[in-house]
Amino acid sequence: MDPTPLKPDATLQLGPAQRHLCHAAAGSVLVVEEGLVLLDGPPRWLGAQMLTPRRQVEAGCCHVLEEDGWIGLTAPRGARLRLLAEQGGGTDDGLLALLLARVRWLRTLENRLLAAGVAALRLRLERREN
């Protein structure tokens, strides 16, 4: 677990099963560019028990943090993400971050599909030549 602070809007690369602990302000936006991230939110009290809410945030998605506090970020198979600090601009910034994350994810998916198509075409050409 790495409790080093994140620089505002810096990209964080998590290796497989790596966990990162950081403090985040309410209104910050977690944007996952690649991979899957398990987000452990700030702890909350429910009666006499302290619970930590957990969410899965997939590539191309984002999550707006509702409370200040320490969050844990874990990537089971590795991930690349950004934690965009709350700018005071309201929900428009969060929606823009979501849209940009979706576009990046779709572009990545499109590139993977194109690469698979090219590989299949090359295979067919090689079979015809032989």
Side-chain angles (χ1 to χ4, degrees):
M1 184 162 42
D2 184 13
T4 56
L6 278 177
K7 294 178 183 170
D9 304 341
T11 300
L12 176 65
Q13 187 78 35
L14 292 176
Q18 184 179 357
R19 182 169 169 83
H20 183 83
L21 182 66
C22 64
H23 191 274
S28 297
V29 180
L30 173 71
V31 180
V32 179
E33 295 175 353
E34 286 183 12
L36 171 75
V37 173
L38 302 176
L39 167 65
D40 294 323
R44 299 177 181 168
W45 286 98
L46 181 63
Q49 280 189 325
M50 184 171 29
L51 301 173
T52 303
R54 176 173 268 194
R55 295 191 186 277
Q56 288 187 1
V57 186
E58 297 178 348
C61 296
C62 71
H63 177 72
V64 179
L65 301 172
E66 298 173 2
E67 298 179 4
D68 290 342
W70 287 91
I71 59 171
L73 304 166
T74 308
R77 294 177 298 277
R80 186 174 74 214
L81 58 108
R82 287 177 186 247
L83 187 62
L84 305 173
E86 195 271 324
Q87 307 280 326
T91 59
D92 291 342
D93 293 337
L95 293 175
L96 178 61
L98 175 61
L99 177 64
L100 290 174
R102 284 279 180 191
V103 168
R104 284 188 199 109
W105 177 74
L106 287 172
R107 186 176 52 193
T108 302
L109 182 61
E110 181 182 32
N111 287 341
R112 288 179 185 165
L113 289 173
L114 286 172
V118 167
L121 286 173
R122 283 185 183 157
L123 235 154
R124 289 177 94 182
L125 285 173
E126 287 176 6
R127 286 183 186 163
R128 280 190 176 178
E129 290 175 358
N130 293 332

